[in-house]
Amino acid sequence: EEVEETYIMIKPDGVQRGFVGEIISRFEKKGFKLTGLKLFQCPKELAEEHYKDLQSKSFFPKLIDYITSGPVVCMAWEGIGVVASARKLIGATNPLNAEPGTIRGDLAVQTGRNVVHGSDSPENGKREIALWFKEGELSSWTPAQQPWLTE
Ligand code: DAT
Ligand code: MG
């Protein structure tokens, strides 16, 4: 298994509903390493760039309004297999299809208010971290628990 990076973002509804600590906690407990973290009001242009693959969808304008409707929490997480594992922790795009125990399965009811974003591939993980963070906002560090987490 490869060490990877993923971009996780608590969307404005997750912040407004008071889930910041809860969501960070799930990735922390699993054993992933936080390498970047900030509260941020996303400009429209950045939201459009982040979701550019969905530009042609009918819901695109609403998606951009939603993501820019309040502060988001931007995070970079690192770990073995973190991209796919974070997607599992987050759950299906439609929260009504997301398994109980996942973030969306436990905390949300609608696709248009699904609380959290996670990159869908290691390539997009790198792309999105570079998009949302500046150099100097990311930290490389060794958690004290590391020898107890991996062989
Ligand atoms: P995910 O966030 O699970 O990676 P995605 O990349 O397909 O899902 O879509 C990005 C976001 O766009 C998703 O979290 C919510 C919104 N979205 C996707 N499909 C939608 C739909 N059919 N109606 C409304 N919003 C949608
Ligand atoms: Mg996606």
Side-chain angles (χ1 to χ4, degrees):
E1 291 278 330
E2 297 267 306
V3 175
E4 302 168 344
E5 299 172 285
T6 194
Y7 176 66
I8 303 292
M9 176 167 70
I10 305 174
K11 296 177 179 179
D13 50 333
V15 175
Q16 296 288 349
R17 294 177 63 206
F19 295 150
V20 172
E22 158 99 31
I23 291 171
I24 293 176
S25 194
R26 293 188 180 211
F27 298 98
E28 259 189 330
K29 285 178 188 166
K30 175 71 174 172
F32 296 127
K33 177 168 73 176
L34 185 64
T35 57
L37 173 69
K38 64 180 177 186
L39 185 77
F40 182 62
Q41 176 61 55
C42 173
K44 193 166 183 232
E45 300 68 37
L46 179 55
E48 288 171 345
E49 176 64 22
H50 174 80
Y51 281 124
K52 67 178 177 193
D53 292 350
L54 300 173
Q55 225 157 17
S56 63
K57 305 282 186 188
S58 58
F59 59 79
F60 187 75
K62 273 175 69 181
L63 176 61
I64 301 307
D65 283 350
Y66 162 47
I67 294 302
T68 58
S69 64
V72 295
V73 173
C74 309
M75 296 181 276
W77 289 90
E78 187 184 295
I80 298 169
V82 70
V83 173
S85 179
R87 298 272 296 182
K88 282 191 183 172
L89 292 173
I90 289 169
T93 304
N94 181 342
L96 293 182
N97 298 332
E99 293 297 324
T102 65
I103 295 167
R104 289 170 176 167
D106 289 349
L107 304 177
V109 293
Q110 214 181 45
T111 304
R113 295 288 186 269
N114 65 5
V115 167
V116 64
H117 165 84
S119 308
D120 62 8
S121 67
E123 297 66 42
N124 276 335
K126 285 190 194 306
R127 175 183 85 90
E128 291 170 6
I129 289 169
L131 192 61
W132 288 87
F133 287 99
K134 294 175 196 156
E135 256 181 86
E137 290 181 331
L138 298 165
S139 296
S140 206
W141 60 292
T142 304
Q145 63 159 333
Q146 201 231 301
W148 305 102
L149 182 74
T150 54
E151 306 184 278

